[in-house]
Amino acid sequence: MGHMATGIRTYTMQERAQHLDFDIRRENARDPLAAPHRHAYFQIQINLAGDTQQHIGATVRPFLPGMLSFVLPYRMHCVPHPPGSLYYILSFGQRFLRSDLDVDPLDLEDVPLARAPELAPFLAQESMDFQLDGSDRADMLQLCEQMLADNAQRGFYTLETLRARLLLLIGLVCRKYAGRIEQAAGAGTSHHGRREAMARVIRHIREHLAERLTLDSAAAAACLSPNYLAHLIKKETGRTFVDLVTERRIERSRELLMQTSLRVSDIARQVGFADEAYFSRRFRQVCGASPVAFRALARQAVDPPVLSKRITHASLSPSSEDR
């Protein structure tokens, strides 16, 4: 989904469900979402008929009859259902799934499976496909029909019954794919996914360094929500998005000053600074010398502290230039 625009919609339960805690519906209950989008809640989609694909995060996986899709909150996704498709969609909040799981939804990928095994298929979805057949499929369909009936006629203990059936449904998948799920968890699949997302962000910054870079555009390139990307950058690097962009711009300007004879004004434009004076001020702040002085020292093959000074988080402060 790397081609997607930045205007990706995030839906709440209030917008897409009849209840704010849990909801289950068939394909004919609401118009499908044909464009890539996100939800502020968990979603399970079960394909009953219609060969298609599911786009989730930065991956595209098959979505055939009998397959289930497990989508974490705020994960970009889309299932383009062909005409005649049949499916269930289950939507529910984090507190409905696990009332004791006091974790920010953006940090769910860091929760150990031993603490919340219910998260297993959600965490592995971008690297695995889940399909039930035979008696497991029959059990899945029965659970869905029971949840549909319970959800339509809510009463005393209905939420507890719905939660129990939801966990049984997740349990069918976890039982069948236990070995592969444990293997994926042991291999740190979720951490690998975050590294890939960060790599896509860095590549986007590098390829568009001379342009106006925004958190929204970088998030779209990484197939993430802006909030999640900001959270991810802070967690992985200790920096903000603006810090990261400024760091790459200063690093590239150092290379150009040492390796080319371009004018400082041209270098400033190539690394994304529209104003030469502002570029020189930022460069001096980070490197301890003006661009002209830095180049002169580099050409003398001298290695004073100014040339070896590392760009640090402390030397980078947010600037409206990069917002």
Side-chain angles (χ1 to χ4, degrees), residues 163-203:
R163 184 181 298 109
R165 299 195 199 283
L166 172 64
L167 292 176
L168 284 172
L169 175 64
I170 296 173
L172 288 175
V173 173
C174 289
R175 180 179 63 187
K176 179 175 180 178
Y177 291 92
R180 291 183 60 191
I181 287 174
E182 290 173 349
Q183 184 179 13
T189 300
S190 63
H191 294 281
H192 179 67
R194 290 202 295 270
R195 287 194 298 271
E196 288 185 340
M198 281 298 300
R200 291 193 296 272
V201 172
I202 298 300
R203 184 166 58 250

Side-chain angles (χ1 to χ4, degrees), residues 90-115:
L90 290 74
S91 304
F92 47 93
Q94 182 170 316
R95 287 189 58 80
F96 182 84
L97 181 65
R98 280 287 296 266
S99 61
D100 62 330
L101 192 58
D102 187 18
V103 176
D104 189 293
L106 300 179
D107 287 326
L108 287 169
E109 289 179 310
D110 292 328
V111 177
L113 291 187
R115 179 184 176 190

Side-chain angles (χ1 to χ4, degrees), residues 126 248 251 284-285 289:
E126 292 182 47
R248 293 302 183 270
E251 285 179 352
R284 182 190 292 275
Q285 178 186 4

Side-chain angles (χ1 to χ4, degrees), residues 58-77:
T59 65
V60 180
R61 308 201 67 88
F63 198 50
L64 306 176
M67 283 189 170
L68 300 89
S69 171
F70 293 86
V71 186
L72 285 167
Y74 301 104
R75 182 69 86 236
M76 193 180 303
H77 66 284

